[in-house]
Amino acid sequence: MNDKPSPHSFRLALATFALSIVAVTGFLGFQNYVNHNGLATPTLLASAVAVLPSFTNTRVPLPATNTPVPTITRTPSPGPSPIPSDTPLPSATPTQTLTPSPSPTSRPQLVPSLATFEPEELASTGPAPTAVTAIPTAVPTFEVPLGTTNVLLLGSDTDLDQGVGRTDTMIIVAINRDGPTASMVSLPRDLYVYIPGWTMNRLNTALSRGAAAGYPGGAIAQLRDTILYNFGIPIHFYAQIDFEGFQQGVDLMDGVEVAVSCELRDWRLKSPDLDPNNEENWEIFTLEPGIHQMDGDLALWYARSRRTTSDFDRGRRQQQLLRAMLNQAVDLNLLAQIPDLYNTYQNTVKTDMDIGRILQLASLAPAIRENGVQNLYIVGNQIQSWTVPETGAAVQLPVWENMQQTFRRLFLPPALNRATRPPITVEIINATGDPNKSLLAADNLAWYGFEPIISTTEQATQSQTTIQYFAQNTKGSFDWLLSWVVAKRTADVQLVTDTPYQYNYRVVLGTEYDPCRPQLFAPQIFIEQ
């Protein structure tokens, strides 16, 4: 860049760095691939190692994430089916709080509680409308383990300098200092929930509603209470960015490398400098599977696209991009500059975290990177398609009896947590004839916590993918998960008991292998006993 960036152009970069430290986590869950000589090669998880040529691939489309509209029976009226408020919900076992270092210091972390008042108290916008969809009772609040901090990351469709818009990106990151580990969950924008003090509406309207209604504590308090009421998750801190800041932040880091496993097609401006209001300036753009170096414009398109996928898959791609950005921030050693960046540009970032808290969380990054990160989604039977009787809008109702399992996992360590168990190593031998396939397979495996090692051994092409597991039995092998990641059956895993091997698994990719997996419908991941 020839021109010096303005302070405004640093918005997302700084928010991301401040979040790195906040969210240190969710987005630093990656590991190094190792070659046969034992030498580390560049990191390849959500951000990849190199720009490789794009290639043509038969796409296995992601299945629709919205469940068919069911026949719903509700008494007295249609709506969610929450657990009664007096039914306690099992909480994660608290762990002992680590003694914080004397420097840096931070304000105490408060325990959020749900505000209680009648709708007419918010008189600035008139009384709450009469709802036809039944309003659920508040779900029980999860008991957050000691040493855990919940951070809400927000992406807005309105410039932060121009007021409050809709929050089309909402990601909760739970950072457990005692692991240290981290988990993140994306909240779909179209979840139809109760907005405290108002009525039922889409989750992404809570922030703007709080600003317009003069909600006690402000717009963020409205969204925090909405999340607490409907999902039982206390939010300790938040950080907010906008789309322009996101795009500029990626460019300031010279772009990010992202592993794209599934073809993505959507409308895109032919050039970011063109007028978006002129339809002649748009074209259908296809992003082929492969390792892509994304500038800010492409990364924003990748994060926002929904034409051929869904809002749920978009949430996964947003988590992937955030991880890629933080990987790049680490590579550029930008985290070490956080104190100076914070002092200079703190007025351009919307967050309630002080510098002491940011630095405390930043110090956990290396260990969290080593131990792994858990990525969670609200999808499948956790939601129910619904048409709002008042407006005819198509939305998603939370199905709490299924959804609560995902939020409970937010406070548990990743299933393949390397802080408590050795890594599960997977040697990848490429017999597809396409060098990109091994990189994408490694990315998919690393996303779920396996440790992939890409073999440099020459291999003749073969049609079928084969899997071997070297041990006396499959206990603790996560064979059901690994086989799903490489699109095989668990029964296809061959147990080898009489041949010692330096890795746990040996996977030979055949020409049938397609890295495009319906990741939002992966098998339920649990901690094996």
Side-chain angles (χ1 to χ4, degrees):
M1 298 179 67
N2 296 326
D3 298 328
K4 182 180 179 181
S6 66
H8 174 75
S9 69
F10 279 87
R11 178 176 290 119
L12 180 66
L14 298 176
T16 305
F17 306 150
L19 295 181
S20 71
I21 16 195
V22 155
V24 113
T25 70
F27 317 125
L28 285 181
F30 57 84
Q31 52 190 313
N32 289 332
Y33 297 135
V34 179
N35 62 30
H36 262 39
N37 297 321
L39 300 177
T41 58
T43 300
L44 283 181
L45 179 56
S47 63
V49 288
V51 182
L52 300 176
S54 299
F55 56 91
T56 302
N57 182 44
T58 302
R59 178 175 179 263
V60 178
L62 289 173
T65 57
N66 295 348
T67 56
V69 178
T71 301
I72 304 176
T73 303
R74 289 288 186 271
T75 304
S77 58
S81 52
I83 291 178
S85 57
D86 58 351
T87 302
L89 194 134
S91 58
T93 303
T95 53
Q96 184 177 358
T97 303
L98 292 179
T99 303
S101 59
S103 179
T105 59
S106 175
R107 294 188 299 271
Q109 178 173 299
L110 302 179
V111 179
S113 59
L114 189 63
T116 56
F117 52 87
E118 297 300 322
E120 54 266 24
E121 292 184 42
L122 303 182
S124 60
T125 57
T130 301
V132 176
T133 304
I135 294 177
T137 55
V139 304
T141 299
F142 281 94
E143 182 180 349
V144 179
L146 297 176
T148 295
T149 297
N150 298 331
V151 182
L152 177 63
L153 307 183
L154 303 173
S156 175
D157 62 358
T158 300
D159 193 295
L160 295 184
D161 296 332
Q162 298 177 1
V164 176
R166 297 196 175 203
T167 46
D168 282 356
T169 299
M170 291 167 281
I171 300 174
I172 300 174
V173 181
I175 305 163
N176 183 353
R177 297 189 296 275
D178 292 345
T181 58
S183 300
M184 60 167 60
V185 61
S186 295
L187 302 178
R189 66 175 191 169
D190 289 335
L191 283 178
Y192 200 61
V193 298
Y194 176 59
I195 311 295
W198 190 30
T199 187
M200 298 288 290
N201 211 323
R202 283 184 170 91
L203 179 60
N204 73 334
T205 67
L207 197 70
S208 57
R209 167 63 189 180
Y215 192 84
I220 290 295
Q222 174 84 88
L223 181 54
R224 276 177 161 145
D225 279 356
T226 300
I227 291 172
L228 187 59
Y229 187 101
N230 294 278
F231 312 129
I233 304 296
I235 299 299
H236 301 118
F237 302 102
Y238 85 96
Q240 186 179 15
I241 58 178
D242 58 30
F243 293 147
E244 180 184 358
F246 177 88
Q247 181 173 341
Q248 293 173 339
V250 172
D251 287 335
L252 286 168
M253 290 188 286
D254 297 323
V256 292
E257 290 177 331
V258 179
V260 177
S261 295
C262 301
E263 177 188 278
L264 189 64
R265 289 172 57 85
D266 206 341
W267 289 100
R268 184 185 178 195
L269 276 175
K270 297 176 182 178
S271 170
D273 299 327
L274 295 176
D275 180 5
N277 297 312
N278 184 347
E279 65 179 23
E280 298 297 325
N281 294 335
W282 292 84
E283 65 180 355
I284 289 292
F285 178 79
T286 301
L287 187 67
E288 300 286 354
I291 308 300
H292 293 274
Q293 175 76 13
M294 295 189 180
D295 61 10
D297 179 65
L298 180 57
L300 183 61
W301 177 87
Y302 186 70
R304 299 191 68 189
S305 174
R306 285 203 305 163
R307 182 176 183 269
T308 56
T309 55
S310 67
D311 189 47
F312 302 99
D313 181 68
R314 184 170 70 162
R316 181 194 64 80
R317 284 184 272 115
Q318 289 168 354
Q319 290 190 24
Q320 184 187 26
L321 278 168
L322 286 170
R323 292 172 64 155
M325 291 179 70
L326 286 196
N327 290 352
Q328 182 75 344
V330 171
D331 291 341
L332 297 176
N333 196 31
L334 293 173
L335 299 182
Q337 303 176 36
I338 284 171
D340 291 337
L341 293 172
Y342 180 89
N343 291 331
T344 304
Y345 300 109
Q346 58 181 300
N347 293 331
T348 68
V349 180
K350 284 193 175 181
T351 180
D352 56 356
M353 290 178 292
D354 59 87
I355 185 61
R357 178 71 57 179
I358 289 173
L359 292 174
Q360 286 176 2
L361 295 175
S363 67
L364 303 176
I368 290 176
R369 178 195 309 183
E370 177 66 24
N371 295 338
V373 175
Q374 183 174 212
N375 297 88
L376 305 172
Y377 311 97
I378 305 300
V379 72
N381 68 357
Q382 301 177 65
I383 49 92
Q384 186 176 51
S385 296
W386 181 250
T387 300
V388 181
E390 304 95 307
T391 64
V395 296
Q396 302 292 333
L397 289 175
V399 181
W400 180 246
E401 54 265 35
N402 300 325
M403 182 182 289
Q404 62 178 305
Q405 303 301 328
T406 294
F407 286 114
R408 184 180 293 113
R409 286 171 57 200
L410 191 64
F411 302 117
L412 297 174
L416 275 66
N417 175 19
R418 291 181 293 278
T420 58
R421 58 167 296 157
I424 299 178
T425 56
V426 183
E427 180 187 30
I428 300 173
I429 298 176
N430 193 347
T432 69
D434 185 340
N436 292 281
K437 295 292 183 70
S438 58
L439 297 175
L440 295 176
D443 180 86
N444 286 341
L445 287 165
W447 185 266
Y448 290 99
F450 296 99
E451 185 172 302
I453 299 93
I454 298 177
S455 172
T456 58
T457 302
E458 294 290 335
Q459 180 76 21
T461 58
Q462 64 182 48
S463 62
Q464 297 295 312
T465 296
T466 60
I467 308 172
Q468 292 176 302
Y469 181 66
F470 299 89
Q472 295 304 306
N473 56 65
T474 59
K475 182 179 180 180
S477 68
F478 287 84
D479 55 341
W480 49 271
L481 179 59
L482 181 138
S483 58
W484 180 88
V485 173
V486 296
K488 303 296 288 186
R489 302 172 304 161
T490 304
D492 293 327
V493 178
Q494 177 187 357
L495 179 64
V496 181
T497 61
D498 57 355
T499 305
Y501 204 65
Q502 58 183 322
Y503 305 116
N504 301 117
Y505 280 97
R506 184 175 186 265
V507 175
V508 181
L509 301 177
T511 55
E512 63 162 0
Y513 173 70
D514 191 322
C516 183
R517 302 295 294 137
Q519 295 188 13
L520 298 181
F521 292 89
Q524 180 75 15
I525 302 176
F526 57 91
I527 299 177
E528 295 188 342
Q529 302 299 320

